[in-house]
Amino acid sequence: MTWLASPWVVVGAASLVAFFVGALSPATIIARALRGDLSQGSGNPGATNAGRVLGLKWGVVVAVLDVAKGFVPTVLALLMLGRLVAYAVGGACVLGHIVSPYLRGRGGKGVATCLGAVLAVFPWLALAMVVVFALLLWRLRWVAGASVVCCLLLGLYAAAWPLPEPVLAGRVWGVGLALLVIGRHHANIRSWAGHRLG
């Protein structure tokens, strides 16, 4: 059937698979195996809270797995199906992480999975994001703030830097992904603003 060969069917099918891959929650799986309770701390099923509740070692493991679930599907899509599909797949991975159907619509904030997707399509930017994150974390000791700044870097890069074709898709993808992850940090931003103004 010719409709199965339609580019949009390919994009949709790849994105659907990526969404369910991204929805897998290493933090929740590891916490259950260790009989930890991620409702403690911030209550967020992500790497930062896993580090708080389960210990730094497990937080790092969760972060690496979250990066991998953004990177692997996106780089496979890039190599096999092209950059446009890779953008769709990377975005789907992050969205799956944020609104995981396995967790009844809950999820993490998407930082590590976003980094994995960016690593696949803009590797030098991903390296810069890691360096900026590490420096800010060392200086500020604030994971959420460092994450937001890195997302701003992604948005600015996508909006202004010369990108490979399709350029418009890359700009929309980068800016949209940055805004999505920053939006997930709204409580952290509001808390910081209230502290500064108070």
Side-chain angles (χ1 to χ4, degrees):
M1 296 172 62
T2 56
W3 64 271
L4 287 173
S6 165
W8 295 111
V9 172
V10 173
V11 172
S15 299
L16 186 63
V17 171
F19 177 82
F20 283 102
V21 171
L24 294 169
S25 176
T28 303
I29 294 168
I30 292 173
R32 286 175 180 168
L34 298 176
R35 298 184 181 179
D37 184 7
L38 290 182
S39 65
Q40 298 177 16
S42 67
N44 184 59
T48 302
N49 198 43
R52 291 192 190 104
V53 175
L54 305 175
L56 178 60
K57 175 182 71 174
W58 291 111
V60 171
V61 171
V62 170
V64 170
L65 292 174
D66 280 344
V67 170
K69 73 180 185 181
F71 173 75
V72 174
T74 307
V75 79
L76 287 176
L78 179 65
L79 296 173
M80 298 170 62
L81 300 168
R83 186 166 288 272
L84 181 61
V85 181
Y87 289 146
V89 164
C93 287
V94 176
L95 189 61
H97 178 85
I98 290 172
V99 290
S100 172
Y102 308 128
L103 302 178
R104 300 180 181 178
R106 293 176 60 247
K109 294 182 179 177
V111 176
T113 306
C114 176
L115 175 63
V118 173
L119 180 62
V121 293
F122 304 137
W124 288 109
L125 172 62
L127 178 60
M129 290 169 67
V130 170
V131 171
V132 169
F133 180 87
L135 289 173
L136 288 175
L137 186 60
W138 169 71
R139 188 73 178 87
L140 304 176
R141 297 289 191 268
W142 188 29
V143 174
S147 300
V148 168
V149 171
C150 287
C151 287
L152 288 173
L153 180 61
L154 167 61
L156 289 172
Y157 179 92
W161 199 260
L163 302 180
E165 293 290 343
V167 175
L168 180 59
R171 297 205 188 287
V172 171
W173 181 80
V175 172
L177 211 55
L179 291 175
L180 177 64
V181 178
I182 289 171
R184 291 289 292 172
H185 287 82
H186 66 277
N188 304 94
I189 296 169
R190 190 165 57 242
S191 174
W192 175 81
H195 177 74
R196 296 287 291 181
L197 293 173

